[in-house]
Amino acid sequence: MTRSSTLNRRLKNLVIICSTLILILSVALVYRAFTSQVFMRPHRRSLSSNEDKKSHKLHPKRPISYSATTLQDFKNDLMFADLIPTKSKKFKESIFIKSAHKNILLNFFADLHPTNWENVAESDDMAFGLKYLLIECNLESRMSCKQIDSLSRDGYAEKSRSKMVEYVHEMTEQTSGVHKHRYAVRSLVRENSTACAAQVNNADKCATMDDYRLLKEVLLLTTLRHPGIIHIKGYCLRGNQVSDKLREKGIILVTEIGITLTDAVLEMASWSQRVSMALQVSKLLLYLDRTILGSLRFTKLSLSDFVLVRGALVKLATLDNLELGNISCTDNSDCHLVGANKGLRCRNKYCSGMNSASNLHMATQKVLKLLLQKPPGSAEVALVERLDSFNISTKELVAELFNFFRHNPPEGPVMFDYPEETDKMTNRGHHRMGHLSNQESDSRK
């Protein structure tokens, strides 16, 4: 009897121990599953989805997670844009043009901006003329027409009155794998030139005169080098044909890609990111006053003339509204700038400093005030007020913006859907191409 009760007691203790172990193990497994689900929850969706964008706007204090590679690329971009001081010169790009070639380029540039459209050359003659001129100046295309013809379309981007922009790609095989390189292709749309129609009663001739605008962009992009100007990848000049097929187009311009700056893009950017954008635009204004061709002046400007590349770099993508040279004058009154009393004077029959003042005034009204809206502090408000009253020079503006940038650098690139330049196919992501609606496209003109 004693042995039986002892055995029962031992079995009972064993059952209790086993039950306790099972209970502890079950609790541990449930806890682990719960904590894993909590930690995984923020990463179930990409930040590029519309739902997460709305969530981030509703909760601005939530930190954005950037990968180490993204942050390093972002820093390299800002170094290239010369916003982060560096001793390295590998981000500098320069171009050398002989004096004789420079004079020929300037004369051709003037021919692309005629004051009298009655006796201008046909646009296909101008296309071939520019082609051989650029070859003579050692500015030939890095991509052949055959290579450009072989590019594959990714989709339609936008269409304006005289120009179409499409996204394309090419596949290259490298040691690290197969890569897809994406570009933006600009080509002609045939419509009457309003400037020509005002002088010439010949619809067929005026239909080709807007070709001059795209040729002008080809010339400028091949000669100007600045981080704030869209980078040209190549061009093809073989007449003035217009077609839906790449191999049948007469004038083709291939550039890097980016997202057109719009109010929607700016809404996704923080103050520090918008300061970085404004600083880049301001540094571009300094460059335009002293390019290798001379001083350039905007005749028209809008926010949509700029694109955001890789979420960090702001670049001028529309250059056909740039004019070369200072404004001629006979009296100081000829140098009056509407909306800004700068005291500009007529010197040696030209308005001294007019281009710089005009560019800053136009950029302030059309771009900078949009970038610098809702300033967070008194110092920032004071800067915007100086801009609004036109009481600041471009150099002073660059210095003020750099001071803000230095004390509060942007935390990373703007988290917005934009097409990548290069996509490694072994680990590729999917990006929407940022197509514009017809209304947005039409607003560019």
Side-chain angles (χ1 to χ4, degrees):
M1 191 71 178
T2 303
R3 289 183 60 187
S4 176
S5 62
T6 302
L7 182 60
N8 289 336
R9 188 166 54 252
R10 288 179 178 178
L11 288 174
K12 185 177 181 180
N13 291 339
L14 183 60
V15 170
I16 292 173
I17 292 173
C18 290
S19 300
T20 303
L21 290 175
I22 292 173
L23 180 61
I24 294 173
L25 182 61
S26 299
V27 171
L29 291 174
V30 170
Y31 177 79
R32 182 178 179 182
F34 177 78
T35 54
S36 298
Q37 187 176 10
V38 169
F39 288 129
M40 288 295 289
R41 193 173 299 154
H43 303 284
R44 287 184 298 176
R45 296 184 180 90
S46 168
L47 279 172
S48 62
S49 70
N50 291 332
E51 184 176 346
D52 276 298
K53 285 178 184 176
K54 293 178 181 178
S55 175
H56 180 66
K57 290 177 69 176
L58 293 174
H59 306 282
K61 292 184 179 180
R62 189 183 74 177
I64 298 177
S65 176
Y66 298 98
S67 67
T69 302
T70 299
L71 289 175
Q72 185 58 47
D73 290 343
F74 172 69
K75 185 175 181 181
N76 290 340
D77 283 337
L78 294 187
M79 290 174 69
F80 174 77
D82 202 21
L83 300 185
I84 297 179
T86 174
K87 295 181 180 180
S88 174
K89 295 183 179 180
K90 66 179 180 179
F91 297 102
K92 301 289 185 181
E93 230 184 319
S94 60
I95 187 170
F96 175 76
I97 298 178
K98 296 179 181 179
S99 298
H101 290 162
K102 179 179 177 180
N103 291 333
I104 298 175
L105 287 169
L106 290 175
N107 290 334
F108 200 96
F109 187 91
D111 291 339
L112 289 174
H113 195 269
T115 55
N116 184 357
W117 290 90
E118 185 70 42
N119 300 315
V120 298
E122 295 293 335
S123 58
D124 58 346
D125 293 334
M126 296 296 288
F128 287 116
L130 180 59
K131 173 183 178 179
Y132 295 114
L133 171 60
L134 294 177
I135 292 175
E136 181 183 350
C137 296
N138 297 318
L139 297 172
E140 59 267 26
S141 173
R142 297 177 183 177
M143 300 174 71
S144 66
C145 287
K146 183 178 180 180
Q147 185 180 358
I148 293 175
D149 291 342
S150 66
L151 296 174
S152 301
R153 280 191 174 102
D154 284 331
Y156 164 79
E158 63 177 299
K159 178 181 178 182
S160 64
R161 180 174 57 85
S162 61
K163 187 167 50 182
M164 176 182 291
V165 181
E166 301 169 278
Y167 287 124
V168 299
H169 73 267
E170 69 173 344
M171 308 299 294
T172 61
E173 191 168 342
Q174 303 175 8
T175 55
S176 58
V178 179
H179 292 253
K180 176 190 283 188
H181 302 277
R182 294 183 174 92
Y183 311 108
V185 166
R186 308 185 204 184
S187 57
L188 297 171
V189 176
R190 184 69 75 230
E191 290 191 21
N192 286 344
S193 166
T194 54
C196 174
Q199 299 178 4
V200 182
N201 187 21
N202 186 333
D204 292 336
K205 182 174 183 178
C206 287
T208 65
M209 289 301 101
D210 267 335
D211 303 1
Y212 275 51
R213 298 171 66 88
L214 189 55
L215 291 174
K216 184 178 177 181
E217 289 194 290
V218 173
L219 190 154
L220 286 175
L221 288 174
T222 52
T223 54
L224 302 182
R225 291 289 187 274
H226 190 270
I229 295 178
I230 198 76
H231 185 62
I232 185 173
K233 300 292 186 178
Y235 61 84
C236 180
L237 305 175
R238 54 190 172 199
N240 61 2
Q241 308 92 275
V242 175
S243 174
D244 291 332
K245 300 178 180 179
L246 271 179
R247 63 179 179 272
E248 296 177 3
K249 293 178 182 290
I251 304 174
I252 307 174
L253 175 59
V254 185
T255 69
E256 63 181 331
I257 54 179
I259 282 293
T260 302
L261 276 189
T262 61
D263 292 337
V265 177
L266 298 188
E267 286 179 3
M268 298 300 299
S270 65
W271 169 258
S272 59
Q273 288 169 331
R274 287 186 281 116
V275 164
S276 173
M277 297 181 196
L279 178 56
Q280 293 177 66
V281 173
S282 301
K283 290 175 72 70
L284 172 64
L285 297 182
L286 285 179
Y287 170 75
L288 291 179
D289 200 38
R290 47 179 175 81
T291 73
I292 194 169
L293 295 177
S295 180
L296 290 164
R297 179 184 68 261
F298 287 110
T299 59
K300 186 168 58 174
L301 187 65
S302 69
L303 183 67
S304 60
D305 289 337
F306 292 87
V307 296
L308 185 64
V309 177
R310 297 187 297 276
L313 297 178
V314 174
K315 301 196 176 191
L316 180 65
T318 302
L319 285 77
D320 54 10
N321 293 320
L322 284 171
E323 285 188 358
L324 180 64
N326 294 303
I327 296 177
S328 60
C329 60
T330 57
D331 188 77
N332 290 336
S333 59
D334 297 332
C335 304
H336 176 68
L337 188 61
V338 178
N341 183 17
K342 288 295 293 181
L344 299 171
R345 297 187 176 278
C346 182
R347 296 177 180 176
N348 299 323
K349 297 183 179 181
Y350 290 99
C351 294
S352 177
M354 183 69 169
N355 285 0
S356 177
S358 176
N359 285 342
L360 177 58
H361 184 254
M362 191 173 294
T364 296
Q365 300 301 318
K366 303 298 184 180
V367 181
L368 293 173
K369 287 176 66 175
L370 295 175
L371 291 172
L372 299 175
Q373 57 186 322
K374 299 179 182 178
S378 58
E380 293 85 350
V381 170
L383 175 62
V384 174
E385 289 177 348
R386 290 183 66 189
L387 265 175
D388 201 27
S389 62
F390 210 61
N391 188 27
I392 192 172
S393 68
T394 306
K395 289 184 178 180
E396 291 172 336
L397 176 61
V398 169
E400 292 276 359
L401 289 172
F402 181 74
N403 187 51
F404 292 146
F405 173 88
R406 182 166 55 89
H407 287 92
N408 184 26
E411 61 278 12
V414 178
M415 298 299 287
F416 195 85
D417 287 342
Y418 57 94
E420 296 285 356
E421 285 187 351
T422 303
D423 187 10
K424 186 177 179 181
M425 302 306 291
T426 55
N427 185 25
R428 67 179 182 268
H430 299 280
H431 300 273
R432 292 181 299 173
M433 301 309 291
H435 296 173
L436 299 179
S437 66
N438 292 334
Q439 183 177 1
E440 289 173 318
S441 298
D442 294 340
S443 66
R444 295 192 58 172
K445 291 295 176 181

